[in-house]
């Protein structure tokens, strides 16, 4: 096949031959049949829960699409990315695990690898945008107040273009997608870094622009938010109960975004560590049985967000019913209030995005 040309060029450089170009069938499972069946059931459950949960988020949002605020639009985009991973990708791996081998050849392998990378990158960049939105809303009110719906749609266009670019770059001849060492799934060809300097440059670029840089922005944003919230807590304590309740609810809403990012990173960082070790460590030093665990954990990331939404919604319902008695106070509780001036006589208020 034409797609194999780049792989054979890689192996022709001599010193290192990746697992998918060795004598064994690269698409035959290297796991036991029992392990494949367990993994298949696991992915089936994950896929069903993710599809139902994210589908529900999208459906409920579509009923009020004209009233969605910028932060809610970002949330819907995150659900779309998670749903895409579940609908487009998981059926391929589920069928392959149950079949004890990858069933879709090199074309299916590259499609699966592209789809997983595309939606995964889209999810991470969306969370980066959400963290920046939260940072501006809480730490820089003068900027946060002008973020409107059309800014959110511009941001979505940038996110999709960014994910499309990096997911498609391997097809331009500077990288590739290849089967995992255990045979029943496909991913970015991390093993190119073992073959050439150009391969190392490609993998390092992917790591920086699609993992390290977005993660650094997320961490920076939430660290600044935490510091701002701590500094404002003493100020809020001097105000009335309504303002204190508003402050508490705002902190909870910020924790939603933090939990979403934490869940994604916890799911993906083990896989990233194993992938980096495969790229720059000793060749083939990661045991095949060990490499499948981070892969399965990463595939569960799309399931977490709807669960987080539901848990937080329940907590908000409890807070509203316990601490806010009237419809008027309930409406006011969704108002974000914070002041950067200790001596100011009034708090600045903006609608929570």
């Amino acid at each position: 096949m034409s797609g194999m040309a780049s792989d054979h060029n890689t192996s022709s450089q001599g010193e290192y031959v990746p697992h998918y170009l060795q004598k064994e069938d690269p698409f035959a499972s290297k796991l036991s049949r029992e392990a494949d069946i367990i993994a298949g059931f696991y992915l089936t459950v994950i896929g069903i829960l993710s599809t139902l949960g994210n589908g529900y988020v999208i459906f409920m949002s579509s009923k009020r699409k004209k009233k969605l605020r910028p932060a809610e639009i970002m949330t819907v985009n995150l659900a779309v990315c998670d749903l895409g991973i579940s609908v487009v990708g998981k059926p391929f791996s589920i069928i392959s695990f149950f079949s004890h081998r990858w069933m879709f050849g090199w074309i299916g392998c590259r499609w699966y690898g592209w789809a997983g990378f595309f939606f995964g990158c889209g999810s991470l960049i969306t969370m980066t945008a959400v963290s920046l939105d939260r940072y501006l809303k809480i730490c820089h009110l003068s900027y946060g107040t002008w973020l409107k719906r059309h800014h959110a749609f511009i941001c979505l266009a940038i996110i999709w273009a960014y994910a499309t670019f990096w997911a498609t770059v391997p097809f331009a001849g500077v990288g590739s997608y290849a089967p995992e060492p255990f045979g029943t799934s496909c991913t970015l060809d991390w093993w190119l870094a073992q073959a050439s300097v150009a391969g190392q440059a490609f993998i390092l670029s992917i790591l920086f622009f699609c993992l390290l840089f977005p993660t650094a922005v997320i961490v920076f944003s939430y660290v600044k938010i935490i510091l701002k919230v701590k500094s404002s807590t003493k100020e809020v304590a001097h105000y009335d109960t309504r303002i204190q309740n508003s402050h508490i609810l705002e902190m909870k809403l910020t924790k939603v975004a933090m939990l979403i990012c934490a869940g994604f990173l916890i799911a993906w960082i083990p896989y990233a560590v194993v992938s980096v070790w495969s790229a720059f460590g000793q060749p083939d030093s990661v045991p095949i049985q060990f490499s499948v665990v981070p892969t399965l954990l990463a595939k569960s990331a799309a399931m977490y967000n709807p669960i987080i939404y539901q848990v937080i919604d329940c907590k908000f319902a409890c807070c509203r019913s316990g601490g806010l008695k009237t419809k008027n106070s309930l409406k006011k509780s969704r108002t974000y209030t914070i002041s950067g001036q200790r001596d100011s006589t009034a708090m600045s208020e903006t609608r929570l995005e």
Side-chain angles (χ1 to χ4, degrees):
M1 297 177 65
S2 60
M4 289 292 293
S6 62
D7 298 331
H8 287 296
N9 290 338
T10 300
S11 63
S12 66
Q13 298 189 13
E15 295 183 358
Y16 174 72
V17 178
H19 63 277
Y20 54 83
L21 291 179
Q22 296 173 9
K23 294 182 179 179
E24 296 182 2
D25 181 359
F27 297 129
S29 176
K30 310 305 187 296
L31 304 175
S32 67
R33 186 170 293 276
E34 292 76 13
D36 275 338
I37 292 174
I38 293 173
F41 275 116
Y42 167 81
L43 289 180
T44 300
V45 173
I46 294 295
I48 292 173
L49 293 177
S50 176
T51 300
L52 293 177
N54 288 291
Y56 176 77
V57 171
I58 296 171
F59 172 74
M60 295 303 295
S61 299
S62 67
K63 296 175 67 174
R64 50 187 298 270
K65 57 185 177 182
K66 293 184 178 180
K67 298 181 180 180
L68 292 178
R69 294 166 293 177
E72 293 173 319
I73 293 172
M74 290 293 134
T75 299
V76 174
N77 191 64
L78 186 59
V80 169
C81 291
D82 291 341
L83 184 64
I85 293 175
S86 301
V87 173
V88 176
K90 282 189 173 60
F92 286 81
S93 54
I94 291 171
I95 292 172
S96 296
F97 273 113
F98 281 126
S99 301
H100 198 49
R101 64 172 288 109
W102 179 259
M103 298 296 293
F104 305 98
W106 279 99
I107 293 178
C109 181
R110 288 185 168 88
W111 160 252
Y112 178 86
W114 180 89
F117 191 19
F118 172 71
F119 287 115
C121 182
S123 293
L124 182 56
I125 303 305
T126 300
M127 285 184 284
T128 305
V130 170
S131 69
L132 286 174
D133 173 77
R134 291 280 81 203
Y135 169 69
L136 291 174
K137 286 292 181 183
I138 294 178
C139 300
H140 298 282
L141 287 177
S142 59
Y143 293 97
T145 54
W146 59 260
L147 290 174
K148 307 299 181 184
R149 281 171 58 93
H150 68 275
H151 295 117
F153 289 117
I154 293 173
C155 187
L156 291 186
I158 295 173
I159 290 170
W160 287 110
Y162 193 92
T164 300
F165 173 79
W166 285 109
T168 309
V169 160
F171 294 126
V174 297
S176 186
Y177 294 100
E180 299 267 16
F182 52 86
T184 47
S185 182
C186 294
T187 185
L188 190 71
D189 192 347
W190 301 99
W191 303 272
L192 285 175
Q194 297 282 357
S196 67
V197 175
Q200 293 176 1
F202 167 70
I203 295 301
L204 288 173
S205 298
I206 289 291
L207 286 172
F208 178 78
F209 289 104
C210 300
L211 179 63
L212 298 180
F213 177 68
T215 302
V217 173
I218 291 171
V219 171
F220 167 81
S221 298
Y222 288 123
V223 167
K224 297 293 287 186
I225 287 171
I226 290 171
L227 294 177
K228 183 67 176 180
V229 168
K230 285 185 176 181
S231 67
S232 64
T233 300
K234 293 180 180 179
E235 298 173 6
V236 173
H238 297 290
Y239 293 88
D240 61 32
T241 303
R242 181 184 63 81
I243 292 177
Q244 293 181 29
N245 287 335
S246 299
H247 184 73
I248 292 172
L249 289 175
E250 180 60 26
M251 291 177 62
K252 288 182 178 294
L253 287 172
T254 301
K255 289 177 183 178
V256 174
M258 294 177 66
L259 286 172
I260 290 171
C261 293
F264 183 91
L265 294 176
I266 289 172
W268 278 97
I269 283 179
Y271 178 78
V273 170
V274 170
S275 298
V276 170
W277 184 259
S278 298
F280 299 102
Q282 292 296 319
D284 303 321
S285 59
V286 179
I288 292 176
Q289 291 76 11
F290 178 77
S291 67
V292 71
V293 176
T295 301
L296 294 177
L297 179 61
K299 293 180 187 298
S300 69
M303 178 188 69
Y304 301 149
N305 295 340
I307 296 175
I308 293 173
Y309 302 149
Q310 293 302 316
V311 170
I312 298 300
D313 281 346
C314 291
K315 289 185 177 181
F316 282 165
C318 292
C319 290
R320 289 193 293 261
S321 62
L324 302 173
K325 300 299 184 181
T326 67
K327 290 184 179 180
N328 186 47
S329 63
L330 205 167
K331 184 175 181 179
K332 290 180 180 179
S333 72
R334 295 178 61 84
T335 302
Y336 169 70
T337 310
I338 193 166
S339 172
Q341 303 292 331
R342 181 177 294 273
D343 297 328
S344 63
T345 58
M347 302 291 281
S348 302
E349 296 190 0
T350 60
R351 288 290 296 170
L352 172 64
E353 297 288 338

